[in-house]
Amino acid sequence: AQTVTQSQPEMSVQEAETVTLSCTYDTSENNYYLFWYKQPPSRQMILVIRQEAYKQQNATENRFSVNFQKAAKSFSLKISDSQLGDTAMYFCAFMKHTGTASKLTFGTGTRLQVTL
Amino acid sequence: DGGITQSPKYLFRKEGQNVTLSCEQNLNHDAMYWYRQDPGQGLRLIYYSQIVNDFQKGDIAEGYSVSREKKESFPLTVTSAQKNPTAFYLCAIRGDNYGYTFGSGTRLTVV
């Protein structure tokens, strides 16, 4: 079974600064996907970024980028130029590449507070 | 307006009562999922369905039941056998790029 670990329950960053959220996972699979989801106070889950394990290049979406270290089974999220609207719970998630049965396994989340 | 709709937004259950949470989608996707969210525990998979008239148990299926009679609908019933049902419930569909799209959730409280 896959496990996803987020070791930082809470983090705080000042507006316009950069913050990195950590995530490690455990799997024996070689082909899989990794995701970061954001859950603001509205509780709507929003996909932030996605990484395919077979791609060596780190995914980037505007101010959000990842540092994917496959051998170390590490998948951290970097948020640059933090904005107040980035305040949310952030969940790291893992999915095996097994066709239509693809299930997401989530970490316990990191609560990020962006301050003025 | 395409998307995934969960209802109701808030639901109250009395002890020993069954309640059903609705999840509807008009995105024509096959795979649908139910997750439970508790504080400090992230999201845990209850049930999932890959196709109409087929569904599988997730990690915490005890005390829950589902049906998938139509592609568009995947309702979740919280039965009286679920001893601690107070939680936030999220329905999701899997898109073409393997990412999930989530509904807005249902907050269930036992009274």
Side-chain angles (χ1 to χ4, degrees):
Chain A
Q2 286 66 230
T3 59
V4 178
T5 302
Q6 294 179 251
S7 58
Q8 305 154 314
E10 296 184 1
M11 295 192 72
S12 180
V13 63
Q14 287 191 319
E15 197 176 24
E17 297 296 307
T18 295
V19 64
T20 298
L21 309 183
S22 300
C23 173
T24 58
Y25 58 95
D26 187 24
T27 185
S28 59
E29 302 287 329
N30 190 48
N31 294 322
Y32 51 87
Y33 297 90
L34 294 163
F35 304 84
W36 278 97
Y37 280 87
K38 168 185 178 180
Q39 188 180 43
S42 67
R43 305 200 77 170
Q44 178 69 52
M45 292 287 284
I46 302 165
L47 177 63
V48 175
I49 202 164
R50 182 185 76 134
Q51 175 80 42
E52 292 92 335
Y54 65 87
K55 289 187 177 179
Q56 292 187 340
Q57 185 173 5
N58 289 322
T60 299
E61 289 287 343
N62 300 314
R63 297 183 294 107
F64 298 88
S65 61
V66 298
N67 183 5
F68 174 48
Q69 302 289 330
K70 190 173 184 179
K73 297 180 181 175
S74 171
F75 184 60
S76 61
L77 175 69
K78 186 172 80 172
I79 306 174
S80 304
D81 186 25
S82 296
Q83 301 175 359
L84 295 177
D86 295 334
T87 293
M89 283 289 290
Y90 286 82
F91 292 96
C92 179
F94 172 98
M95 178 191 289
K96 289 196 298 184
H97 186 232
T98 55
T100 58
S102 306
K103 300 175 286 182
L104 273 177
T105 299
F106 288 86
T108 53
T110 295
R111 184 176 302 279
L112 177 66
Q113 180 72 47
V114 180
T115 60
L116 291 171
Chain B
D1 188 26
I4 178 168
T5 302
Q6 286 187 245
S7 62
K9 189 174 179 69
Y10 299 97
L11 186 58
F12 297 90
R13 192 194 92 165
K14 295 181 180 179
E15 294 285 348
Q17 188 180 47
N18 291 357
V19 292
T20 298
L21 284 61
S22 171
C23 179
E24 303 278 334
Q25 57 112 350
N26 61 3
L27 297 172
N28 201 36
H29 289 299
D30 289 310
M32 298 185 73
Y33 307 81
W34 274 106
Y35 282 84
R36 169 178 171 145
Q37 185 177 17
D38 295 282
Q41 294 194 47
L43 280 71
R44 293 180 291 167
L45 182 64
I46 305 172
Y47 267 99
Y48 64 102
S49 170
Q50 301 173 66
I51 199 168
V52 174
N53 293 323
D54 183 63
F55 48 83
Q56 285 81 40
K57 293 181 179 180
D59 301 319
I60 56 165
E62 184 175 353
Y64 300 97
S65 65
V66 294
S67 63
R68 187 82 187 276
E69 298 177 1
K70 300 185 300 181
K71 188 175 187 178
E72 301 79 17
S73 179
F74 189 41
L76 173 73
T77 296
V78 184
T79 74
S80 57
Q82 171 50 241
K83 298 307 178 187
N84 185 24
T86 293
F88 187 63
Y89 291 86
L90 283 159
C91 179
I93 57 174
R94 185 178 64 78
D96 295 331
N97 63 356
Y98 287 91
Y100 280 20
T101 298
F102 285 86
S104 57
T106 294
R107 175 69 184 176
L108 174 62
T109 304
V110 173
V111 296

